[in-house]
Amino acid sequence: EDEKFLTDLFAQLTDEATDEEKRQELVNFLKEFCAFSQTLQPQNRDAFFKTLSNMGILPALEVILGMDDAQVRSAATDIFSYLVEYNPSMVREFVMQEAQQNDDDILLINLIIEHMICDTDPELGGAVLLMGLLRTLVDPENMLATANKTEKTEFLGFFYKHCMHVLTAPLLANTTEDKPSKDDFQTAQLLALILELLTFCVEHHTYHIKNYIINKDILRRVLVLMASKHAFLALCALRFKRKIIGLKDEFYNRYIMKSFLFEPVVKAFLNNGSRYNLMNSAIIEMFEFIRVEDIKSLTAHVIENYWKALEDVDYVQTFKGLKLRFEQQRERQDNPKLDSMRSILRNHRYRRDARTLEDEEEMWFNTDEDDMEDGEAVVPPSDKTKNDEDIMDPISKFMERKKLKESEEKEVLLKTNLSGRQSPSFKLSFSSATKSNLTSQSSASNLPGSPGSPGSPGSPGSPGSVSKSTSQMAAITTK
């Protein structure tokens, strides 16, 4: 019963024989019906809109939007907004399918654009709503991507082929000369809406909008609006160009330079004078962006063609900074070796290879202190500059101690061989100067001369211990 009700409703809405008052009642009822659906649970709302779609609500809206009754068209626009907000992909699919059978003039999306352009409201309330719907439909963020197809590629290709010329028609018609043909408030508002949507396309679309702007020379036509008496429209045109420059795309940059598209901006800047307002700040910000981002091609173009007009502007350093960038760029081109040296110094000044530093630290920490002999000294690099006498003196002393050690060892070994066993104890005589240093050693077995003591002078396995003991003892007598 519900499906039959909707079928009859759509049939009466699209029938030319239906009375105008009756059609208004029916379309308002459908509008309220869609508004009521917003209070439903998500699953119920999905079922509701799927039913409307299956019963042919979009073809019905297409017929209604083409009628002359303004109230009917307004209600149909509200219904269309509910559908777009619910499922923009459903609307895109319908539009692309009908494009294969119908002409561009009667496509649903082109009817929406025409209603936006022809809005009679002085404040363009309806046009603002329709522009928002168009932005939702061309927004890649809510487009689907499947394994077989990409909605972004298909729909944007369709939109730029069948719909973009309808959207830009008022802009192209009003910018055939050096200033806008019509510059009344309502026209300026409409052109500002169109520029807002085009700016959105520059930001979110890729090669589609780029090809369209360059092939149709859109930017040059947009910059004609810089001469408008309405500041908000001139700022919209400037914002459009700023968005293009912000992409830092050399295809756009070459197009700008080839057509000398900074000229309308410079003219607007000079005509504005020294007044501190939004136009002044926006133009300076655009040139400052070129300077900070070091866009070399645009920097050279601006200085070579517009420096004489801008050199007297000294309340900001933007233009002098651009000139400095330009001169540095020329200097690098004339002397590439100097530029390479600057980059080397900039990258390596006061820097040390981190890997070398780590290797040196590892070598230092891995040094085994047990490998160092007692007579071995670690000489710092500065000691290498000492003279030979300072070096040879400790060496000669070490050799004398070594000879004394060898003679003592021979004497001990000789007595051991003669008696057949080593003497169990040694009687040591100390000078009075050294006795006090060794009073803590109470037993003979703990003294350096003990037969079982490791590292004792009589032990062959401790070659470096003699140098320590002889420096503390005045005399050693072995018995």
Side-chain angles (χ1 to χ4, degrees):
E1 293 179 357
D2 293 338
E3 292 181 357
K4 185 178 183 303
F5 169 75
L6 290 174
T7 302
D8 294 341
L9 176 62
F10 294 152
Q12 293 183 51
L13 283 172
T14 57
D15 189 358
E16 294 181 359
T18 304
D19 185 74
E20 295 297 328
E21 292 183 2
K22 179 67 173 178
R23 182 178 285 109
Q24 289 179 8
E25 292 178 359
L26 292 174
V27 74
N28 286 328
F29 169 78
L30 184 59
K31 173 185 172 182
E32 296 297 329
F33 202 30
C34 293
F36 174 75
S37 68
Q38 304 303 305
T39 63
L40 299 175
Q41 295 294 327
Q43 61 272 18
N44 295 333
R45 186 168 59 251
D46 291 344
F48 171 77
F49 280 109
K50 285 180 180 178
T51 302
L52 288 180
S53 176
N54 294 333
M55 300 309 297
I57 189 172
L58 286 172
L61 288 178
E62 189 174 23
V63 174
I64 297 171
L65 287 171
M67 295 182 176
D68 296 333
D69 193 327
Q71 293 182 0
V72 171
R73 289 201 310 266
S74 176
T77 301
D78 293 335
I79 297 170
F80 181 72
S81 67
Y82 286 118
L83 296 173
V84 172
E85 292 174 2
Y86 162 70
N87 192 347
S89 294
M90 177 184 69
V91 178
R92 295 188 196 105
E93 184 177 359
F94 169 77
V95 170
M96 288 188 290
Q97 287 178 354
E98 69 165 347
Q100 301 174 0
Q101 303 172 356
N102 300 328
D103 296 333
D104 291 352
D105 294 339
I106 60 175
L107 296 180
L108 176 60
I109 194 166
N110 284 342
L111 289 175
I112 297 298
I113 295 174
E114 289 177 3
H115 288 320
M116 183 185 77
I117 293 172
C118 301
D119 188 8
T120 56
D121 182 5
E123 300 296 330
L124 296 183
V128 172
L129 172 63
L130 294 174
M131 193 274 294
L133 297 178
L134 288 174
R135 183 167 58 186
T136 301
L137 289 174
V138 300
D139 187 358
E141 296 297 326
N142 58 47
M143 294 183 182
L144 303 177
T146 62
N148 298 326
K149 64 178 183 178
T150 303
E151 188 179 12
K152 176 181 177 181
T153 302
E154 291 186 357
F155 182 75
L156 291 184
F158 157 81
F159 181 79
Y160 280 90
K161 181 178 180 180
H162 298 280
C163 308
M164 183 59 86
H165 67 280
V166 181
L167 178 65
T168 57
L171 171 67
L172 298 177
N174 209 36
T175 55
T176 55
E177 301 176 359
D178 294 338
K179 60 181 182 179
S181 304
K182 293 177 62 178
D183 205 17
D184 59 277
F185 180 74
Q186 191 166 357
T187 302
Q189 276 190 312
L190 175 63
L191 294 179
L193 285 176
I194 295 173
L195 283 179
E196 184 178 346
L197 186 57
L198 290 178
T199 304
F200 178 85
C201 294
V202 168
E203 184 177 5
H204 292 88
H205 301 169
T206 52
Y207 59 91
H208 296 93
I209 188 65
K210 184 192 303 183
N211 293 336
Y212 189 81
I213 288 174
I214 295 177
N215 293 334
K216 301 295 184 179
D217 200 14
I218 296 296
L219 180 56
R220 185 177 64 84
R221 306 294 286 271
V222 168
L223 291 176
V224 171
L225 302 177
M226 293 285 293
S228 172
K229 65 182 180 181
H230 300 285
F232 70 89
L233 180 58
L235 287 170
C236 284
L238 183 64
R239 190 182 304 115
F240 179 73
K241 181 175 181 178
R242 173 64 176 81
K243 187 65 68 175
I244 291 176
I245 292 176
L247 298 176
K248 296 188 285 188
D249 188 322
E250 281 302 313
F251 285 99
Y252 277 128
N253 293 344
R254 284 194 291 270
Y255 163 61
I256 291 172
M257 293 184 293
K258 182 179 178 181
S259 301
F260 293 92
L261 296 182
F262 275 102
E263 184 172 342
V265 178
V266 174
K267 283 184 177 179
F269 181 71
L270 297 178
N271 291 335
N272 188 74
S274 58
R275 288 178 293 175
Y276 181 61
N277 52 20
L278 195 56
M279 177 64 70
N280 178 275
S281 300
I283 294 176
I284 290 175
E285 190 276 334
M286 185 177 66
F287 285 109
E288 183 69 14
F289 176 82
I290 296 172
R291 185 192 70 82
V292 172
E293 296 297 325
D294 195 16
I295 305 177
K296 296 179 175 56
S297 57
L298 296 184
T299 299
H301 176 76
V302 170
I303 297 302
E304 289 174 352
N305 294 279
Y306 307 106
W307 172 243
K308 290 184 179 180
L310 301 172
E311 62 179 342
D312 293 334
V313 179
D314 55 1
Y315 54 87
V316 290
Q317 298 302 309
T318 297
F319 301 106
K320 289 182 172 56
L322 273 177
K323 182 68 180 306
L324 180 60
R325 288 277 195 190
F326 174 72
E327 292 173 349
Q328 291 173 347
Q329 181 179 338
R330 281 294 180 85
E331 184 180 356
R332 287 192 294 266
Q333 290 176 353
D334 296 339
N335 195 350
K337 293 183 179 180
L338 180 60
D339 182 52
S340 62
M341 286 298 296
R342 283 177 177 172
S343 63
I344 291 172
L345 291 175
R346 182 169 57 251
N347 293 332
H348 299 285
R349 185 180 298 168
Y350 304 126
R351 293 180 62 188
R352 185 178 180 185
D353 192 351
R355 291 174 297 178
T356 304
L357 182 61
E358 291 176 0
D359 292 343
E360 292 176 356
E361 290 176 349
E362 288 295 330
M363 291 174 62
W364 192 88
F365 283 111
N366 289 335
T367 302
D368 192 356
E369 295 180 356
D370 295 338
D371 295 340
M372 295 183 180
E373 295 183 356
D374 294 336
E376 198 174 339
V378 179
V379 182
S382 59
D383 292 342
K384 294 180 180 179
T385 57
K386 294 182 179 181
N387 54 32
D388 295 341
E389 293 180 358
D390 295 335
I391 296 176
M392 292 303 296
D393 183 60
I395 294 177
S396 60
K397 292 180 179 179
F398 174 75
M399 293 303 294
E400 291 176 1
R401 291 196 298 268
K402 187 175 181 182
K403 289 179 182 180
L404 178 59
K405 172 189 171 185
E406 290 174 354
S407 63
E408 292 173 349
E409 288 177 351
K410 288 179 182 179
E411 184 179 355
V412 171
L413 291 174
L414 180 60
K415 290 187 177 183
T416 302
N417 292 333
L418 290 176
S419 60
R421 61 181 179 88
Q422 190 173 352
S423 177
S425 63
F426 294 95
K427 182 179 181 181
L428 303 178
S429 300
F430 301 98
S431 65
S432 59
T434 59
K435 282 182 179 179
S436 60
N437 294 330
L438 299 176
T439 55
S440 62
Q441 301 181 9
S442 57
S443 64
S445 61
N446 294 329
L447 293 175
S450 300
S453 175
S456 63
S459 177
S462 57
S465 60
V466 175
S467 61
K468 290 183 178 180
S469 61
T470 53
S471 64
Q472 297 175 352
M473 300 178 184
I476 297 178
T477 305
T478 306
K479 186 173 180 179

